Short mmCIF file of all heavy atoms in Angstrom, two decimals:
data_model
loop_
_atom_site.label_atom_id
_atom_site.label_comp_id
_atom_site.label_asym_id
_atom_site.label_seq_id
_atom_site.Cartn_x
_atom_site.Cartn_y
_atom_site.Cartn_z
N ILE A 244 155.46 95.83 120.72
CA ILE A 244 154.34 94.85 120.79
C ILE A 244 154.97 93.46 121.24
O ILE A 244 155.91 92.99 120.78
CB ILE A 244 153.79 94.73 119.39
CG1 ILE A 244 153.26 96.01 118.84
CG2 ILE A 244 152.77 93.58 119.25
CD1 ILE A 244 152.62 96.00 117.43
N VAL A 245 154.11 92.86 122.16
CA VAL A 245 154.56 91.65 122.71
C VAL A 245 153.94 90.56 121.86
O VAL A 245 152.73 90.49 121.59
CB VAL A 245 154.01 91.49 124.16
CG1 VAL A 245 154.34 90.13 124.79
CG2 VAL A 245 154.62 92.60 125.03
N PRO A 246 154.74 89.62 121.36
CA PRO A 246 154.23 88.58 120.51
C PRO A 246 153.32 87.65 121.28
O PRO A 246 153.54 87.42 122.49
CB PRO A 246 155.42 87.83 119.96
CG PRO A 246 156.59 88.20 120.91
CD PRO A 246 156.21 89.49 121.55
N LEU A 247 152.23 87.07 120.67
CA LEU A 247 151.37 86.23 121.29
C LEU A 247 151.97 84.79 121.23
O LEU A 247 152.73 84.46 120.36
CB LEU A 247 150.06 86.19 120.55
CG LEU A 247 149.27 87.45 120.57
CD1 LEU A 247 147.98 87.35 119.67
CD2 LEU A 247 148.85 87.81 121.96
N PRO A 248 151.61 84.01 122.25
CA PRO A 248 152.10 82.68 122.20
C PRO A 248 151.58 81.81 121.02
O PRO A 248 150.48 82.18 120.56
CB PRO A 248 151.63 82.07 123.60
CG PRO A 248 150.54 82.95 124.04
CD PRO A 248 150.76 84.32 123.34
N ALA A 249 152.30 80.83 120.59
CA ALA A 249 151.79 80.04 119.48
C ALA A 249 150.57 79.27 119.83
O ALA A 249 150.43 78.93 121.05
CB ALA A 249 152.99 79.05 119.03
N ARG A 250 149.75 79.04 118.90
CA ARG A 250 148.54 78.24 119.08
C ARG A 250 148.78 76.80 119.48
O ARG A 250 149.87 76.29 118.88
CB ARG A 250 147.68 78.21 117.82
CG ARG A 250 146.99 79.49 117.51
CD ARG A 250 146.04 79.37 116.36
NE ARG A 250 144.90 78.51 116.71
CZ ARG A 250 143.68 78.91 116.98
NH1 ARG A 250 143.47 80.18 116.75
NH2 ARG A 250 142.72 78.19 117.36
N THR A 251 148.11 76.21 120.31
CA THR A 251 148.33 74.79 120.62
C THR A 251 147.23 73.90 119.97
O THR A 251 147.32 72.72 120.10
CB THR A 251 148.26 74.63 122.18
OG1 THR A 251 146.99 75.05 122.65
CG2 THR A 251 149.39 75.33 122.85
N SER A 252 146.29 74.52 119.33
CA SER A 252 145.27 73.76 118.64
C SER A 252 144.92 74.41 117.28
O SER A 252 145.16 75.56 117.07
CB SER A 252 143.97 73.63 119.52
OG SER A 252 143.51 74.93 119.69
N ARG A 253 144.29 73.59 116.37
CA ARG A 253 143.87 74.17 115.10
C ARG A 253 142.59 75.00 115.33
O ARG A 253 141.81 74.69 116.18
CB ARG A 253 143.60 72.99 114.13
CG ARG A 253 144.87 72.21 113.93
CD ARG A 253 145.26 71.70 112.60
NE ARG A 253 144.62 72.23 111.47
CZ ARG A 253 145.28 73.04 110.67
NH1 ARG A 253 146.51 73.51 110.85
NH2 ARG A 253 144.67 73.42 109.55
N PRO A 254 142.42 76.04 114.55
CA PRO A 254 141.18 76.76 114.64
C PRO A 254 139.88 75.94 114.33
O PRO A 254 139.95 75.05 113.42
CB PRO A 254 141.35 77.82 113.52
CG PRO A 254 142.84 77.94 113.27
CD PRO A 254 143.36 76.55 113.54
N THR A 255 138.92 76.08 115.06
CA THR A 255 137.68 75.40 114.87
C THR A 255 136.78 76.06 113.79
O THR A 255 136.95 77.26 113.49
CB THR A 255 136.88 75.33 116.15
OG1 THR A 255 136.44 76.63 116.50
CG2 THR A 255 137.61 74.67 117.25
N VAL A 256 135.78 75.34 113.36
CA VAL A 256 134.82 75.94 112.43
C VAL A 256 134.13 77.13 113.04
O VAL A 256 133.93 78.09 112.39
CB VAL A 256 133.82 74.86 111.97
CG1 VAL A 256 132.72 75.44 111.02
CG2 VAL A 256 134.47 73.80 111.13
N ALA A 257 133.88 76.99 114.32
CA ALA A 257 133.08 78.09 115.01
C ALA A 257 133.99 79.24 115.06
O ALA A 257 133.53 80.45 114.86
CB ALA A 257 132.69 77.62 116.42
N GLU A 258 135.23 79.16 115.38
CA GLU A 258 136.15 80.35 115.43
C GLU A 258 136.29 80.95 114.05
O GLU A 258 136.24 82.17 113.92
CB GLU A 258 137.49 79.84 115.91
CG GLU A 258 138.52 81.08 116.05
CD GLU A 258 139.89 80.53 116.45
OE1 GLU A 258 140.13 79.28 116.66
OE2 GLU A 258 140.79 81.40 116.65
N ALA A 259 136.46 80.16 112.99
CA ALA A 259 136.55 80.67 111.66
C ALA A 259 135.31 81.42 111.33
O ALA A 259 135.33 82.42 110.68
CB ALA A 259 136.81 79.50 110.71
N GLY A 260 134.16 80.89 111.68
CA GLY A 260 132.84 81.49 111.39
C GLY A 260 132.77 82.88 112.06
O GLY A 260 132.25 83.86 111.43
N ALA A 261 133.25 82.97 113.33
CA ALA A 261 133.19 84.25 114.02
C ALA A 261 134.06 85.23 113.32
O ALA A 261 133.65 86.41 113.18
CB ALA A 261 133.69 84.01 115.51
N TRP A 262 135.25 84.84 112.90
CA TRP A 262 136.17 85.74 112.22
C TRP A 262 135.65 86.16 110.83
O TRP A 262 135.72 87.37 110.47
CB TRP A 262 137.55 85.18 112.08
CG TRP A 262 138.37 85.36 113.32
CD1 TRP A 262 138.84 84.34 114.15
CD2 TRP A 262 138.83 86.53 113.88
NE1 TRP A 262 139.54 84.88 115.20
CE2 TRP A 262 139.59 86.21 115.05
CE3 TRP A 262 138.77 87.85 113.47
CZ2 TRP A 262 140.22 87.30 115.86
CZ3 TRP A 262 139.39 88.84 114.25
CH2 TRP A 262 140.04 88.56 115.40
N ALA A 263 135.04 85.17 110.18
CA ALA A 263 134.45 85.57 108.90
C ALA A 263 133.34 86.51 109.08
O ALA A 263 133.20 87.54 108.28
CB ALA A 263 133.93 84.29 108.20
N ASP A 264 132.56 86.36 110.12
CA ASP A 264 131.45 87.32 110.42
C ASP A 264 131.99 88.67 110.66
O ASP A 264 131.40 89.68 110.10
CB ASP A 264 130.62 86.74 111.56
CG ASP A 264 129.42 87.67 111.80
OD1 ASP A 264 128.63 87.90 110.87
OD2 ASP A 264 129.20 88.11 112.96
N VAL A 265 133.06 88.80 111.41
CA VAL A 265 133.66 90.14 111.66
C VAL A 265 134.12 90.75 110.40
O VAL A 265 133.92 91.92 110.09
CB VAL A 265 134.82 90.01 112.73
CG1 VAL A 265 135.63 91.29 112.77
CG2 VAL A 265 134.34 89.57 114.10
N LEU A 266 134.81 90.06 109.54
CA LEU A 266 135.44 90.51 108.29
C LEU A 266 134.25 91.00 107.38
O LEU A 266 134.39 92.08 106.77
CB LEU A 266 136.25 89.50 107.58
CG LEU A 266 137.52 89.10 108.28
CD1 LEU A 266 138.12 87.85 107.53
CD2 LEU A 266 138.49 90.26 108.40
N VAL A 267 133.26 90.37 107.32
CA VAL A 267 132.06 90.77 106.55
C VAL A 267 131.30 91.94 107.15
O VAL A 267 131.06 92.93 106.41
CB VAL A 267 131.11 89.59 106.26
CG1 VAL A 267 129.83 90.07 105.49
CG2 VAL A 267 131.82 88.54 105.38
N ARG A 268 131.08 91.85 108.38
CA ARG A 268 130.37 93.03 109.10
C ARG A 268 131.17 94.40 109.05
O ARG A 268 130.54 95.43 108.90
CB ARG A 268 130.13 92.71 110.53
CG ARG A 268 128.85 91.89 110.77
CD ARG A 268 128.40 91.80 112.21
NE ARG A 268 129.35 91.02 112.98
CZ ARG A 268 130.07 91.44 114.00
NH1 ARG A 268 130.05 92.61 114.42
NH2 ARG A 268 130.87 90.58 114.64
N ARG A 269 132.49 94.21 109.05
CA ARG A 269 133.36 95.40 108.94
C ARG A 269 133.69 95.79 107.57
O ARG A 269 134.51 96.73 107.26
CB ARG A 269 134.73 95.15 109.67
CG ARG A 269 134.59 94.88 111.11
CD ARG A 269 134.49 96.05 111.89
NE ARG A 269 134.44 95.77 113.39
CZ ARG A 269 134.42 96.64 114.29
NH1 ARG A 269 134.43 97.91 113.98
NH2 ARG A 269 134.29 96.31 115.51
N ARG A 270 133.03 95.05 106.60
CA ARG A 270 133.16 95.35 105.18
C ARG A 270 134.59 95.20 104.74
O ARG A 270 135.05 95.87 103.76
CB ARG A 270 132.58 96.71 104.79
CG ARG A 270 131.08 96.74 105.06
CD ARG A 270 130.51 98.04 104.61
NE ARG A 270 129.12 97.92 104.87
CZ ARG A 270 128.29 98.98 105.14
NH1 ARG A 270 128.81 100.21 105.06
NH2 ARG A 270 127.05 98.81 105.33
N LEU A 271 135.27 94.33 105.28
CA LEU A 271 136.62 94.02 104.84
C LEU A 271 136.62 92.82 103.82
O LEU A 271 137.58 92.60 103.09
CB LEU A 271 137.56 93.63 106.04
CG LEU A 271 137.60 94.74 107.00
CD1 LEU A 271 138.19 94.27 108.35
CD2 LEU A 271 138.51 95.84 106.42
N LEU A 272 135.53 92.11 103.79
CA LEU A 272 135.21 91.03 102.83
C LEU A 272 133.70 91.28 102.40
O LEU A 272 132.93 91.75 103.22
CB LEU A 272 135.34 89.63 103.35
CG LEU A 272 136.70 88.90 103.47
CD1 LEU A 272 136.43 87.58 104.10
CD2 LEU A 272 137.38 88.93 102.16
N HIS A 273 133.37 91.00 101.17
CA HIS A 273 131.99 91.07 100.77
C HIS A 273 131.18 89.79 101.22
O HIS A 273 130.04 89.95 101.77
CB HIS A 273 131.85 91.10 99.23
CG HIS A 273 130.43 91.16 98.69
ND1 HIS A 273 129.59 92.13 98.95
CD2 HIS A 273 129.80 90.10 98.14
CE1 HIS A 273 128.41 91.81 98.48
NE2 HIS A 273 128.51 90.67 97.95
N ALA A 274 131.84 88.61 101.14
CA ALA A 274 131.19 87.42 101.58
C ALA A 274 132.19 86.31 102.03
O ALA A 274 133.33 86.35 101.46
CB ALA A 274 130.34 86.81 100.44
N ALA A 275 131.76 85.49 102.99
CA ALA A 275 132.61 84.38 103.42
C ALA A 275 131.55 83.35 103.79
O ALA A 275 130.80 83.42 104.69
CB ALA A 275 133.47 84.73 104.62
N VAL A 276 131.60 82.20 103.07
CA VAL A 276 130.64 81.13 103.24
C VAL A 276 131.33 79.80 103.32
O VAL A 276 132.13 79.43 102.46
CB VAL A 276 129.70 81.13 101.97
CG1 VAL A 276 128.65 80.10 102.14
CG2 VAL A 276 129.08 82.45 101.74
N PRO A 277 131.09 79.06 104.45
CA PRO A 277 131.56 77.74 104.58
C PRO A 277 130.84 76.73 103.66
O PRO A 277 129.61 76.91 103.40
CB PRO A 277 131.35 77.37 106.06
CG PRO A 277 130.14 78.20 106.45
CD PRO A 277 130.23 79.44 105.60
N VAL A 278 131.44 75.78 103.08
CA VAL A 278 130.82 74.74 102.30
C VAL A 278 130.98 73.39 103.00
O VAL A 278 131.93 73.16 103.81
CB VAL A 278 131.34 74.78 100.87
CG1 VAL A 278 131.06 76.01 100.07
CG2 VAL A 278 132.85 74.55 100.82
N PRO A 279 130.14 72.35 102.66
CA PRO A 279 130.18 71.12 103.30
C PRO A 279 131.43 70.43 103.29
O PRO A 279 131.81 69.60 104.18
CB PRO A 279 129.10 70.25 102.62
CG PRO A 279 128.19 71.29 102.04
CD PRO A 279 129.09 72.48 101.74
N THR A 280 132.41 70.65 102.37
CA THR A 280 133.66 70.01 102.29
C THR A 280 134.66 70.56 103.33
O THR A 280 135.71 69.99 103.49
CB THR A 280 134.33 70.21 100.89
OG1 THR A 280 134.54 71.65 100.73
CG2 THR A 280 133.45 69.65 99.84
N GLY A 281 134.32 71.57 104.14
CA GLY A 281 135.18 72.21 105.12
C GLY A 281 135.85 73.37 104.55
O GLY A 281 136.51 74.19 105.22
N GLN A 282 135.78 73.65 103.20
CA GLN A 282 136.38 74.76 102.57
C GLN A 282 135.52 76.03 102.78
O GLN A 282 134.41 75.96 103.31
CB GLN A 282 136.54 74.53 101.07
CG GLN A 282 137.48 73.36 100.74
CD GLN A 282 137.39 73.09 99.28
OE1 GLN A 282 136.39 73.01 98.63
NE2 GLN A 282 138.61 72.86 98.61
N TRP A 283 136.12 77.19 102.53
CA TRP A 283 135.39 78.43 102.61
C TRP A 283 135.49 79.16 101.33
O TRP A 283 136.48 79.17 100.57
CB TRP A 283 136.02 79.38 103.64
CG TRP A 283 135.65 78.89 105.05
CD1 TRP A 283 136.27 77.80 105.77
CD2 TRP A 283 134.69 79.42 105.93
NE1 TRP A 283 135.68 77.65 106.94
CE2 TRP A 283 134.71 78.71 107.18
CE3 TRP A 283 133.88 80.51 105.86
CZ2 TRP A 283 133.88 78.96 108.26
CZ3 TRP A 283 133.07 80.78 106.96
CH2 TRP A 283 133.09 80.06 108.06
N LEU A 284 134.34 79.73 100.81
CA LEU A 284 134.30 80.59 99.66
C LEU A 284 134.27 82.04 100.17
O LEU A 284 133.43 82.40 100.98
CB LEU A 284 133.08 80.34 98.82
CG LEU A 284 132.83 78.87 98.39
CD1 LEU A 284 131.47 78.71 97.63
CD2 LEU A 284 133.99 78.36 97.58
N ILE A 285 135.21 82.79 99.64
CA ILE A 285 135.26 84.16 100.02
C ILE A 285 135.27 85.06 98.73
O ILE A 285 135.69 84.68 97.68
CB ILE A 285 136.52 84.58 100.92
CG1 ILE A 285 137.80 84.38 100.09
CG2 ILE A 285 136.51 83.78 102.16
CD1 ILE A 285 138.99 85.07 100.75
N GLN A 286 134.77 86.24 98.94
CA GLN A 286 134.67 87.24 97.91
C GLN A 286 134.98 88.59 98.38
O GLN A 286 134.40 88.97 99.46
CB GLN A 286 133.27 87.16 97.25
CG GLN A 286 133.10 87.89 95.95
CD GLN A 286 131.72 87.75 95.42
OE1 GLN A 286 130.71 87.56 96.21
NE2 GLN A 286 131.62 87.79 94.09
N ASN A 287 136.00 89.28 97.82
CA ASN A 287 136.37 90.56 98.33
C ASN A 287 135.37 91.63 97.93
O ASN A 287 135.20 92.60 98.82
CB ASN A 287 137.72 90.97 97.72
CG ASN A 287 138.79 90.01 98.24
OD1 ASN A 287 138.84 89.65 99.39
ND2 ASN A 287 139.85 89.81 97.43
N GLU A 288 134.78 91.60 96.86
CA GLU A 288 133.78 92.61 96.41
C GLU A 288 132.65 91.96 95.72
O GLU A 288 132.88 90.81 95.19
CB GLU A 288 134.41 93.81 95.61
CG GLU A 288 135.35 93.31 94.49
CD GLU A 288 136.11 94.39 93.89
OE1 GLU A 288 136.75 95.14 94.73
OE2 GLU A 288 136.17 94.47 92.66
N ALA A 289 131.47 92.61 95.65
CA ALA A 289 130.34 91.99 95.09
C ALA A 289 130.45 91.39 93.68
O ALA A 289 130.02 90.26 93.44
CB ALA A 289 129.22 93.03 94.98
N ASN A 290 131.07 92.01 92.79
CA ASN A 290 131.28 91.46 91.45
C ASN A 290 132.62 90.91 91.25
O ASN A 290 133.00 90.60 90.09
CB ASN A 290 130.95 92.52 90.39
CG ASN A 290 129.58 93.08 90.41
OD1 ASN A 290 128.60 92.24 90.64
ND2 ASN A 290 129.33 94.34 90.34
N GLY A 291 133.40 90.64 92.36
CA GLY A 291 134.74 90.17 92.18
C GLY A 291 134.77 88.64 92.10
O GLY A 291 133.78 87.97 92.32
N PRO A 292 135.90 88.05 91.87
CA PRO A 292 136.02 86.61 91.80
C PRO A 292 135.82 85.98 93.16
O PRO A 292 135.98 86.61 94.25
CB PRO A 292 137.40 86.40 91.37
CG PRO A 292 138.23 87.62 91.66
CD PRO A 292 137.11 88.75 91.65
N VAL A 293 135.43 84.68 93.13
CA VAL A 293 135.25 83.98 94.34
C VAL A 293 136.51 83.09 94.57
O VAL A 293 136.98 82.47 93.64
CB VAL A 293 133.99 83.06 94.26
CG1 VAL A 293 133.93 82.15 95.49
CG2 VAL A 293 132.78 83.86 94.15
N TYR A 294 137.03 83.17 95.77
CA TYR A 294 138.30 82.45 96.11
C TYR A 294 137.88 81.21 97.03
O TYR A 294 136.98 81.43 97.84
CB TYR A 294 139.30 83.27 96.81
CG TYR A 294 139.75 84.51 95.91
CD1 TYR A 294 139.26 85.74 96.03
CD2 TYR A 294 140.67 84.24 94.94
CE1 TYR A 294 139.63 86.77 95.32
CE2 TYR A 294 141.11 85.28 94.16
CZ TYR A 294 140.64 86.54 94.24
OH TYR A 294 140.94 87.61 93.49
N VAL A 295 138.59 80.13 96.98
CA VAL A 295 138.39 78.99 97.75
C VAL A 295 139.55 78.91 98.80
O VAL A 295 140.70 78.87 98.45
CB VAL A 295 138.25 77.67 96.98
CG1 VAL A 295 138.06 76.51 97.86
CG2 VAL A 295 137.25 77.81 95.82
N LEU A 296 139.16 78.91 100.06
CA LEU A 296 140.13 78.72 101.13
C LEU A 296 139.95 77.29 101.69
O LEU A 296 138.81 76.79 101.72
CB LEU A 296 139.97 79.64 102.26
CG LEU A 296 140.09 81.21 101.88
CD1 LEU A 296 140.01 82.01 103.11
CD2 LEU A 296 141.48 81.41 101.18
N ALA A 297 141.10 76.61 102.10
CA ALA A 297 141.11 75.18 102.36
C ALA A 297 140.35 74.81 103.64
O ALA A 297 139.78 73.75 103.70
CB ALA A 297 142.50 74.61 102.49
N GLY A 298 140.33 75.73 104.54
CA GLY A 298 139.64 75.36 105.83
C GLY A 298 139.67 76.51 106.85
O GLY A 298 140.02 77.59 106.55
N PRO A 299 139.18 76.23 108.06
CA PRO A 299 139.11 77.23 109.11
C PRO A 299 140.44 77.95 109.37
O PRO A 299 140.46 79.10 109.65
CB PRO A 299 138.69 76.45 110.33
CG PRO A 299 138.01 75.26 109.77
CD PRO A 299 138.67 74.87 108.54
N ALA A 300 141.56 77.24 109.32
CA ALA A 300 142.92 77.91 109.62
C ALA A 300 143.11 78.98 108.61
O ALA A 300 143.69 80.01 108.95
CB ALA A 300 143.99 76.83 109.54
N ASP A 301 142.68 78.79 107.34
CA ASP A 301 142.88 79.87 106.40
C ASP A 301 142.02 81.21 106.60
O ASP A 301 142.50 82.19 106.30
CB ASP A 301 142.59 79.23 104.93
CG ASP A 301 143.62 78.28 104.46
OD1 ASP A 301 144.83 78.40 104.98
OD2 ASP A 301 143.31 77.41 103.66
N ILE A 302 140.94 80.98 107.12
CA ILE A 302 140.11 82.13 107.46
C ILE A 302 140.76 82.87 108.65
O ILE A 302 140.85 84.11 108.62
CB ILE A 302 138.62 81.66 107.88
CG1 ILE A 302 137.91 81.19 106.66
CG2 ILE A 302 137.83 82.83 108.64
CD1 ILE A 302 137.43 82.26 105.71
N VAL A 303 141.20 82.13 109.65
CA VAL A 303 141.91 82.82 110.80
C VAL A 303 143.13 83.42 110.27
O VAL A 303 143.50 84.56 110.67
CB VAL A 303 142.08 81.75 111.90
CG1 VAL A 303 142.97 82.36 113.05
CG2 VAL A 303 140.85 81.23 112.47
N ASP A 304 143.86 82.86 109.45
CA ASP A 304 145.13 83.43 108.85
C ASP A 304 144.75 84.72 108.09
O ASP A 304 145.49 85.73 108.10
CB ASP A 304 145.85 82.48 108.01
CG ASP A 304 146.55 81.30 108.73
OD1 ASP A 304 146.63 81.44 109.98
OD2 ASP A 304 146.90 80.40 108.05
N LEU A 305 143.71 84.62 107.35
CA LEU A 305 143.22 85.78 106.57
C LEU A 305 142.83 87.01 107.46
O LEU A 305 143.29 88.11 107.26
CB LEU A 305 142.02 85.51 105.71
CG LEU A 305 141.38 86.64 104.94
CD1 LEU A 305 142.40 87.23 103.89
CD2 LEU A 305 140.19 86.22 104.24
N ALA A 306 142.20 86.64 108.59
CA ALA A 306 141.87 87.72 109.57
C ALA A 306 143.11 88.32 110.21
O ALA A 306 143.15 89.58 110.38
CB ALA A 306 140.90 87.17 110.61
N ALA A 307 144.10 87.47 110.55
CA ALA A 307 145.29 87.97 111.09
C ALA A 307 146.07 88.85 110.06
O ALA A 307 146.63 89.95 110.42
CB ALA A 307 146.21 86.83 111.44
N ALA A 308 146.12 88.47 108.77
CA ALA A 308 146.65 89.29 107.78
C ALA A 308 146.06 90.62 107.56
O ALA A 308 146.70 91.64 107.46
CB ALA A 308 146.76 88.55 106.48
N VAL A 309 144.71 90.67 107.68
CA VAL A 309 143.92 91.91 107.51
C VAL A 309 144.27 92.80 108.75
O VAL A 309 144.46 93.99 108.53
CB VAL A 309 142.48 91.67 107.46
CG1 VAL A 309 141.57 92.88 107.64
CG2 VAL A 309 142.13 90.97 106.02
N GLN A 310 144.22 92.27 109.90
CA GLN A 310 144.65 92.97 111.16
C GLN A 310 146.04 93.62 111.02
O GLN A 310 146.19 94.74 111.36
CB GLN A 310 144.56 92.16 112.39
CG GLN A 310 143.10 91.87 112.80
CD GLN A 310 143.12 90.99 114.07
OE1 GLN A 310 144.01 90.14 114.29
NE2 GLN A 310 142.20 91.16 114.89
N LEU A 311 146.97 92.81 110.57
CA LEU A 311 148.28 93.34 110.40
C LEU A 311 148.39 94.53 109.38
O LEU A 311 149.00 95.53 109.62
CB LEU A 311 149.26 92.17 110.03
CG LEU A 311 150.68 92.50 109.88
CD1 LEU A 311 151.25 93.01 111.18
CD2 LEU A 311 151.46 91.32 109.38
N ARG A 312 147.69 94.34 108.32
CA ARG A 312 147.60 95.42 107.31
C ARG A 312 147.02 96.61 107.85
O ARG A 312 147.54 97.76 107.61
CB ARG A 312 146.92 94.89 105.99
CG ARG A 312 146.94 95.92 104.83
CD ARG A 312 146.17 95.51 103.72
NE ARG A 312 144.72 95.74 104.04
CZ ARG A 312 143.70 95.03 103.73
NH1 ARG A 312 143.84 93.98 103.02
NH2 ARG A 312 142.48 95.31 104.08
N ILE A 313 145.96 96.51 108.53
CA ILE A 313 145.21 97.71 109.10
C ILE A 313 146.18 98.39 110.13
O ILE A 313 146.31 99.60 110.11
CB ILE A 313 143.95 97.29 109.79
CG1 ILE A 313 142.94 96.88 108.73
CG2 ILE A 313 143.41 98.41 110.69
CD1 ILE A 313 141.64 96.31 109.20
N ARG A 314 146.78 97.53 110.95
CA ARG A 314 147.64 98.16 111.96
C ARG A 314 148.90 98.82 111.39
O ARG A 314 149.43 99.83 111.93
CB ARG A 314 148.17 97.13 112.98
CG ARG A 314 146.98 96.64 113.94
CD ARG A 314 147.40 95.63 114.88
NE ARG A 314 146.28 95.32 115.75
CZ ARG A 314 146.22 94.13 116.27
NH1 ARG A 314 147.14 93.26 116.34
NH2 ARG A 314 145.12 93.84 117.16
N SER A 315 149.50 98.25 110.32
CA SER A 315 150.64 98.78 109.75
C SER A 315 150.45 100.03 108.90
O SER A 315 151.34 100.80 108.65
CB SER A 315 151.40 97.77 108.88
OG SER A 315 150.68 97.39 107.66
N THR A 316 149.18 100.29 108.49
CA THR A 316 148.90 101.50 107.69
C THR A 316 148.26 102.55 108.61
O THR A 316 148.13 103.67 108.06
CB THR A 316 147.94 101.12 106.50
OG1 THR A 316 146.70 100.62 107.03
CG2 THR A 316 148.54 100.14 105.62
N ARG A 317 148.01 102.26 109.81
CA ARG A 317 147.40 103.22 110.72
C ARG A 317 148.51 104.13 111.32
O ARG A 317 149.52 103.62 111.67
CB ARG A 317 146.72 102.53 111.86
CG ARG A 317 145.77 103.42 112.68
CD ARG A 317 145.02 102.70 113.67
NE ARG A 317 145.47 101.32 113.97
CZ ARG A 317 144.88 100.44 114.79
NH1 ARG A 317 143.88 100.94 115.50
NH2 ARG A 317 145.35 99.35 115.06
N PRO A 318 148.32 105.44 111.24
CA PRO A 318 149.40 106.29 111.77
C PRO A 318 149.53 106.13 113.36
O PRO A 318 148.56 105.76 114.00
CB PRO A 318 148.90 107.74 111.46
CG PRO A 318 147.44 107.57 111.24
CD PRO A 318 147.25 106.20 110.71
N ASP A 319 150.66 106.22 113.76
CA ASP A 319 150.85 106.06 115.25
C ASP A 319 150.07 107.24 116.01
O ASP A 319 150.08 108.41 115.57
CB ASP A 319 152.40 106.27 115.60
CG ASP A 319 153.18 105.01 115.26
OD1 ASP A 319 152.55 103.93 115.07
OD2 ASP A 319 154.40 105.13 115.12
N THR A 320 149.47 106.86 117.07
CA THR A 320 148.63 107.82 117.78
C THR A 320 149.23 108.11 119.16
O THR A 320 148.61 108.69 119.99
CB THR A 320 147.15 107.31 117.97
OG1 THR A 320 147.27 106.01 118.69
CG2 THR A 320 146.48 107.14 116.69
N GLN A 321 150.48 107.67 119.38
CA GLN A 321 151.09 107.91 120.61
C GLN A 321 151.82 109.25 120.70
O GLN A 321 152.31 109.72 119.83
CB GLN A 321 152.16 106.84 120.95
CG GLN A 321 151.47 105.42 121.06
CD GLN A 321 152.39 104.32 121.25
OE1 GLN A 321 153.71 104.54 121.03
NE2 GLN A 321 151.99 103.20 121.75
#
């Protein structure tokens, strides 16, 4: 796997929103909601606790961590 180049800018609210939408649509999160302070409220399952993420970068980091976990648990298909 070729590593991606480092980001040159901070994730935007729009980018975080897109990733949050993907995580919820794929049922990897139950909910992800931005709040006016710039923070995000996320919930893993319907009756689970609500977690507070500091901002868009945390949503993007969460999406990256989920992708890594999915890829590392998937059997090799080569």
Side-chain angles (χ1 to χ4, degrees):
I244 297 176
V245 177
L247 296 174
R250 288 186 69 108
T251 58
S252 63
R253 302 221 12 105
T255 64
V256 173
E258 181 182 4
W262 278 113
D264 185 51
V265 167
L266 293 172
V267 172
R268 277 191 289 117
R269 299 274 183 181
R270 296 186 178 149
L271 298 166
L272 281 180
H273 175 69
V276 179
V278 294
T280 62
Q282 297 172 315
W283 284 77
L284 304 178
I285 64 163
Q286 191 175 29
N287 292 325
E288 48 193 48
N290 295 322
V293 174
Y294 299 98
V295 179
L296 299 182
D301 290 333
I302 290 287
V303 173
D304 289 347
L305 176 63
V309 168
Q310 286 180 326
L311 183 60
R312 185 185 75 219
I313 290 169
R314 289 179 181 159
S315 68
T316 59
R317 191 173 20 180
D319 287 340
T320 56
Q321 298 177 344

